[in-house]
Amino acid sequence: MLTHLAQSYGFAPLIPLWLLAGIGILALVLCAYAISRRTKGAILRLGAVLSLLLWLSGPQRLHESWHVLPETALLLVDQSPSMSIGHRAALARQAAQAMEQAHTQGLTLRTVPVRNSGHNGTRLFDALDQAAADIPPDQFAGAVMLTDGQVSDIPKSIPERLTPAGQNGEKTHLPLHVLIPAKGEETDRQLRILQAPPYGIVGQPAKLRVQVDDAGPGTTPGTQAELTLRVNGEEPLSIPVTTGTPQDISLPVSHPGQMLISLAVSPLAGEVSQINNQTITRMTGIRDRLRVLLISGTPNQGERVWRRLLKADPSVDLIHFTILRPPDKDDGTPLSDLALIAFPVRELFQEKINQFDLIILDGFENQNILPHAYLNNIANFVRKGGGLLLTAGPEFVGPGTLQDTPVGDILPAHVPLENGMVEQRFRPHLTPEGRRHPVTAALPGAPPTNADSAAQTIPGQWGPWYRALKPDTTHGEALMSGPDNAPLLVLDHVDQGRVALLLSDQIWLWSRGEGGGGPQAELLRRISHWLMKEPELEEEQLNASIAGGELTVTRRSTAAEPRHNVTVTPPSGAPVTLTLDATTASAQTRKTGAPEADGGQSGISTGHMAAEQPGIWQVDDGAHKAFAAPMPPDPQEFADLRATASKLQDMVSATGGGMLWTGDSASAPAVPQLQLADGRTLHGENWFAFPHRNAHVVTGRSATPLLPAWVMLSLSLLLLFAGWWREGRS
């Protein structure tokens, strides 16, 4: 009120202020003196002087001419994926166009489309804050949200943009109106995964925790529903569930590798959509602990390499024995002076041999340490599915060689006793099969196949070794070669198990950096895990993944001419043929950073096709199957698919706004009228209103005297004469 008066009235003194103040003070002093002398009429004379001084101060009324500024309201149009349900998008588009075309005097409507922001749901209030920042505060009138009500960033209090300061500094509320493109409250059933472990132990059940929730009018918890579960392409399993209650599901993990678990719940009658009735989770089957038995025939330089490698792997339980004193050694030392642990032959190779996943014989020379029956147990251990790795040195061509035992029947190479040892400087290199095999493909620093491994030094290639065995016969796959291109690393399948034979005992030189060193740790790790049947190191692999609506199929093979066609079966069940394109070795080495190879086949072929249909896609090459599933880009956006007023109702009520529904007619939705209002009611059955903010700009100012001169002169003379008259009556 005071501010308004100050803006409407002012003063324009006719004489300087100091003179005006001096006359006033002098008049007060004289009046006080006269009163002290009991002079009659002093008060009337003072009134005459003060009236004259009031006129001399020039009181005047101020007049402004100003131009009213239009107010701006925001129309936030929700264009998130949930708006694609039913006719929502069409209803929203028609309603937005109708409100944009309607003309309201003094009100400007600014449309702001709001799309999905990624993985955080629909964020309309963030968009409101950003869009309102460009509008002058005194011209911002409020906002209309055209949305299905599924907003993820609803604040706990009214946003600052909707609570501007009033003319007197007090906080006011600007209205937030909501228009929902639907007929009314909808129902929906949602399947949620509450807990899903990323890994499962092979042979042990994994536990999934899920919950089915019904939302909307007429729904109550405790309703019975049917949950269907399918792992990869296996037969589906039906499980009864109760809505509103967490449900634990025991899932068997039968094999290592990726598992796609598809879950779907029976639909709710009348629900708006079944998109969120199904979901997919991924789990990787792993072995509990990989048990490795390492037997070193004698103390050697590579022993420490093996221990460091296997001890560093948290998934490996290592048992290591080094034979320090072979049975044939007799130097007269009394047994009481020997501080050696007896080699537990019977316990390891008969009683507990089947508890191991891998046996490593490092420079092992039999020398009657293991009886014939125990060696036969090792061979049977491999045939039944175990892994065996041998690193061979001079002991392999001497007396007591393992080649002449039952173990020799499962070895992938035979070394002759005469001329079987080659002692010369050479650089190991990969064979063509080795460049395709996952165990050795793209090993760091792998030299080109056409390099002279004996003499030529190429930057980045592997360091030299100085001793190797030269076999006369091999079977299986030779992945590395040594002197005169003789096989150096040979892998083979034996019934259900696997065998690897490294025909040199000098791989430890790489760990010492000899001649630049080499990928000793990575190579041994890959060999060990291949022997323990790591899925990522299988020779024949078929993998599939879906990202961005595209299915990518990758097939790896060690065959010289792998298959190039696969059958893709989408969730709809109509199979199609996809042709895979081979990747050259040159292209593959560019991707991995390895040196350029010979340009031949890398063993990898890929193919792509559109895959937007939800569910599990199956890929089959005739021998292997792979599975993939698209994951929703924003799970929060599809968690609740109802059109509902429940989430925004409190915020709308707090701001004085209104909430209306368009109906379900896409051709003629019910659109509220927008208007400006002076009252407190800002919404009705078919209209939204915004308050007058009185925003304006001043275009001019004028002033008129508040006290005319003749009036003030007459008043002063009247008071002066009255004073004389009063003084004359004595």
Side-chain angles (χ1 to χ4, degrees), residues 248-328:
D248 290 331
I249 301 174
S250 182
L251 180 69
V253 182
S254 57
H255 58 83
Q258 179 176 283
M259 300 168 58
L260 277 178
I261 305 166
S262 172
L263 301 102
V265 67
S266 55
L268 174 67
E271 69 173 320
V272 61
S273 174
Q274 298 183 26
I275 295 178
N276 57 353
N277 288 30
Q278 55 187 346
T279 185
I280 292 175
T281 184
R282 290 177 169 86
M283 182 186 301
T284 302
I286 60 174
R287 299 187 185 184
D288 183 9
R289 301 287 289 180
L290 300 174
R291 298 175 178 86
V292 178
L293 173 61
L294 172 61
I295 305 296
S296 299
T298 57
N300 60 79
Q301 297 283 357
E303 190 174 7
R304 183 178 301 174
V305 174
W306 277 114
R307 287 189 59 84
R308 185 168 58 246
L309 171 69
L310 297 172
K311 283 290 188 180
D313 194 334
S315 65
V316 170
D317 281 337
L318 174 65
I319 296 178
H320 181 202
F321 285 94
T322 300
I323 301 175
L324 301 177
R325 185 181 178 90
D328 60 346

Side-chain angles (χ1 to χ4, degrees), residues 76-80 82-83 88 114 116 120-128 144-155 159 176-180 634 636-637 640-649 651-652 659:
L76 303 165
V77 182
D78 185 356
Q79 295 182 354
S80 62
S82 65
M83 289 290 289
R88 294 177 191 175
V114 182
N116 187 253
N120 299 318
T122 304
R123 307 188 66 82
L124 293 184
F125 284 90
D126 283 352
L128 168 64
V144 178
M145 289 184 176
L146 185 47
T147 175
D148 56 7
Q150 298 297 339
V151 182
S152 61
D153 64 340
I154 303 175
L176 173 65
H177 303 295
V178 173
L179 180 61
I180 302 178
D634 188 353
Q636 186 174 352
E637 179 69 20
D640 190 351
L641 297 177
R642 297 175 297 145
T644 179
S646 60
K647 295 185 176 182
L648 289 168
Q649 184 63 64
M651 180 63 67
V652 170
M659 185 169 291

Side-chain angles (χ1 to χ4, degrees), residues 409-429:
D409 297 338
I410 61 173
L411 296 181
H414 181 270
V415 180
L417 297 182
E418 295 184 3
N419 301 322
M421 176 71 69
V422 177
E423 294 186 344
Q424 67 179 55
R425 185 178 186 275
F426 70 95
R427 293 181 182 270
H429 58 270

Side-chain angles (χ1 to χ4, degrees), residues 399-414:
T401 173
L402 288 176
Q403 296 184 113
D404 300 329
T405 69
V407 175
D409 297 338
I410 61 173
L411 296 181
H414 181 270

